[in-house]
Amino acid sequence: MSSELDGGDDDDISPISVILPAEEAGINKLSLPNDGVASELQHHFIRSINSTLSIRQLPSQGLSFQLWPAATTLVNLLDDQRSHPETNPLTPTLTASRDGSERRTLKILEIGSGTGLVGIAAAATLGAQVTVTDLSHVISNLQFNVEANASILAANGGFVQVAPLHWGEAIYPELIGREFDLILASDVVYHDHLYDPLIQTLSGFLLGGGNPKMVFVMAHLRRWKKDSGFFRKARKLFEVEVLHTDPPPPGSRIGVVVYRFAAKQSKKPAIGSSNQG
């Protein structure tokens, strides 16, 4: 058996196609026409701001256009953090990112944003400035979802911008920025050929001479035993700790785990940088 810091136990858990069932997390599904492409509009009620986020999925377009379980875990934690900061596992990280000042506006980067639910929820619940990123072909749906929730974001002091980001390629600060306080991601560790590009991108931000206090918070549902390879590589560069573990859902042996990655103090800023999204 391996620990949660290695990404889970030694058995493959489930196929890559596991996506959040529509009935989970209070989600209502509505089929809509979209230029001949089947789409689904899902509604996510955020209790702490008494508002409902609307997110469009395009299941026929691929995995990046669908909601994954770990995204809902992060959204639930963000919602709870606003209501119950004293007991929420994200509070120490958020407090440190704000340097102890609740009035300080957080600057957050989400990588591998997919539908954008996590980044939009972070902006709305934290009143943060968020940049959501993914591959270029995902950007139009991300922008759609940001615009669909613009009034909720404005009412809660949040702001979201959209930008392409390809792991393992150069980071362009003029498009994305670099001075972030926090990086978020959910269910981004699944294809082993992306482990190195993802780590290169994280190194570019966390070790690249930007904000030395920047950290990466990732929600992950383990599906393959090879996932542990990502964590082995990551621990060579970053301190990795578990912030939260969901109980396994019915019929499963594992739940979503939320990790915090921070640069090891002995690591010097990297020369050059690389990226994806």
Side-chain angles (χ1 to χ4, degrees):
M1 298 289 287
S2 61
S3 72
E4 287 177 339
L5 289 176
D6 292 320
D9 59 30
D10 292 326
D11 297 325
D12 286 340
I13 304 303
S14 60
I16 195 81
S17 59
V18 172
I19 304 293
L20 185 72
E23 65 271 16
E24 280 193 27
I27 299 170
N28 298 316
K29 184 168 70 173
L30 174 66
S31 294
L32 295 172
N34 176 47
D35 298 328
V37 177
S39 63
E40 298 172 359
L41 188 64
Q42 297 190 334
H43 305 290
H44 305 260
F45 182 63
I46 310 297
R47 290 177 176 81
S48 62
I49 59 173
N50 194 31
S51 299
T52 299
L53 301 179
S54 298
I55 299 294
R56 184 177 72 177
Q57 294 191 105
L58 304 173
S60 65
Q61 300 303 296
L63 297 175
S64 296
F65 297 85
Q66 300 176 68
L67 181 66
W68 290 48
T72 298
T73 292
L74 270 186
V75 171
N76 290 340
L77 286 176
L78 288 164
D79 189 8
D80 179 76
Q81 200 281 330
R82 183 180 173 106
S83 300
H84 305 97
E86 65 283 352
T87 57
N88 188 275
L90 296 181
T91 295
T93 295
L94 295 175
T95 300
S97 296
R98 287 190 172 111
D99 294 323
S101 173
E102 286 299 315
R103 292 189 174 185
R104 184 172 177 273
T105 300
L106 287 175
K107 296 184 68 176
I108 297 173
L109 171 70
E110 186 189 10
I111 61 174
S113 298
T115 64
L117 173 62
V118 170
I120 294 168
T125 58
L126 301 174
Q129 295 181 11
V130 179
T131 301
V132 293
T133 65
D134 212 305
L135 296 170
S136 298
H137 72 282
V138 183
I139 294 302
S140 61
N141 195 54
L142 266 176
Q143 189 66 51
F144 178 96
N145 286 332
V146 169
E147 292 173 0
N149 295 283
S151 61
I152 294 174
L153 292 169
N156 290 281
F159 174 79
V160 179
Q161 67 177 0
V162 180
L165 179 62
H166 296 249
W167 304 338
E169 297 182 6
I171 299 169
Y172 296 100
E174 65 273 16
L175 295 178
I176 298 169
R178 189 183 289 274
E179 296 296 323
F180 296 101
D181 301 299
L182 177 67
I183 302 174
L184 295 176
S186 58
D187 265 325
V188 291
V189 177
Y190 50 92
H191 286 317
D192 53 358
H193 70 276
L194 294 177
Y195 293 173
D196 286 341
L198 175 55
I199 288 173
Q200 288 173 1
T201 289
L202 292 174
S203 297
F205 284 106
L206 299 183
L207 307 178
N211 179 356
K213 295 182 179 180
M214 192 189 318
V215 297
F216 172 50
V217 173
M218 179 184 78
H220 176 63
L221 178 61
R222 189 172 189 276
R223 294 176 174 84
W224 308 107
K225 60 185 177 183
K226 64 185 179 183
D227 291 1
S228 60
F230 167 81
F231 290 89
R232 285 195 299 270
K233 290 174 180 286
R235 289 202 314 274
K236 293 179 181 179
L237 296 172
F238 310 112
E239 299 289 350
V240 183
E241 65 174 307
V242 173
L243 296 182
H244 169 80
T245 303
D246 274 350
S252 178
R253 294 187 289 109
I254 60 165
V256 172
V257 181
V258 179
Y259 299 87
R260 178 184 181 273
F261 296 66
K264 288 187 174 181
Q265 294 303 308
S266 61
K267 292 295 177 184
K268 296 180 180 179
I271 304 227
S273 57
S274 293
N275 245 277
Q276 160 183 358

